[in-house]
Amino acid sequence: MEHFPRRLLTIVTEALLERELLAEFDALGVRGYTITDARGKGGRGTRQSDWAQEGNVRIEIVCEPALAERVVARLRERYYDHYAMILYLQDVSVLRPDKF
Amino acid sequence: MPLFDPVIWFFVLGIAAGVARADLRLPAAIYEFVSTVLLLSIGLKGGVELARDSGGLPAVELGGILLLGFLLPLPAFAVARRIGRLSRADAASLAAHYGSVSVGTFAVVVGYLAARGIPFEGRAAVWVVLLEVPAILAGIVLARGLHGDVAWGRLLRDLFLGRSIVLLLGGLAIGRLAGPEGTASIQPLFFDLFKGILALFLLEMGLIAAAQLPTLRRHGLFITIFGVLTPLVFAVVGALLGRALGLSVGGAIVLATLAASASYIAAPAAIRTAVPEANPALSLTASLAVTFPFNIIVGIPLYERLATALAG
């Protein structure tokens, strides 16, 4: 079966930002994403998920490399300074290129 | 009367379990459910009272309480800036938290007054709604100035459609419409179980407060002192306003407690998006780990004496 290359962008950030980020994604032309509740430890200490106020989310987006770069640039410009946020990119293969 | 209302011991249990890192965690969904039931209960109870005596909210009272919400952040900001030497953003954030109110503390004072048979105005739930938002707006203006870059439209929408306001006002409306007879069928869940639900809520609050203690150690002395003295001073202001507005003694105790309480839900969320450079841990820790425990354990009985003394 033929495979098509795409980029997987994973963002771990404050649950509080979720709604705002989704609006950004829509504006940038992201067609889909997956969100899961997350907890862990990082530069801003332990982040629990058992209280909505302090929780984290993990957002995954699979898309064209160029779009992934645009999303990354946007997040870096607007959110990196003041919010708990990490992101990383991976190369992935998809079977249905028209979906991503 | 025993030393504490039993529900307070659940809070102490939560703190102790949290500090000892016991294997105890209520799932987030339980916390949401418990706080939803509490908010609806308080709203419904107020609504039923309103249906009984059908007294409206006098305009002077509405104005006085709104003004209280806008003004309380100012002295808090000045103290945090001058004495605490905090940055403008951090001082404004602290001011917004302390000017706004804690619904959890309100639930505890409602339980406290009910246990002692002290009556208070049914419309007290409306005071919570009136006091929640103005201080947050004042705090944002203190941080940003009047012409700062703030998305006011979205902010106001989020504030007014926050859980606590929607559920309190919703409960109030349902209680008012249904009246004492109409609410009889939902009485077992919302009225009879109130103290049990409050106990579960406080258990979780104890766990949450305990999780803030390491931050408290880091930020230390100023926010601890601030977190104890601010409620004492604000309670006097609240009690005096209650007296001036001609509220009952119970009403003055509630208003003193509300003025003394500090927000830990609406204010952190709003300030996080509107003033992102403020350190969120600072205000939340002061509010949750210092002021909330202080108010429910020591404060409320003091405010009762204060309001009683003012009335006598």
Side-chain angles (χ1 to χ4, degrees), chain B residues 156-173:
Chain B
L156 287 173
R157 189 190 166 281
D158 285 355
L159 278 174
F160 286 113
L161 292 180
R163 265 159 56 80
S164 56
I165 289 190
V166 170
L167 291 172
L168 276 176
L169 287 183
L172 210 61

Side-chain angles (χ1 to χ4, degrees), chain B residues 209-266:
Chain B
Q212 304 292 324
L213 288 176
T215 328
L216 184 63
R217 231 167 284 146
R218 222 174 307 140
H219 293 289
L221 204 58
F222 173 71
I223 59 167
T224 310
I225 298 173
F226 182 91
V228 171
L229 290 187
T230 310
L232 287 174
V233 176
F234 283 7
V236 174
V237 178
L240 287 172
L241 177 66
R243 180 97 181 92
L245 292 172
L247 302 181
S248 66
V249 175
I253 299 171
V254 171
L255 197 56
T257 306
L258 285 174
S261 74
S263 167
Y264 51 80
I265 294 177

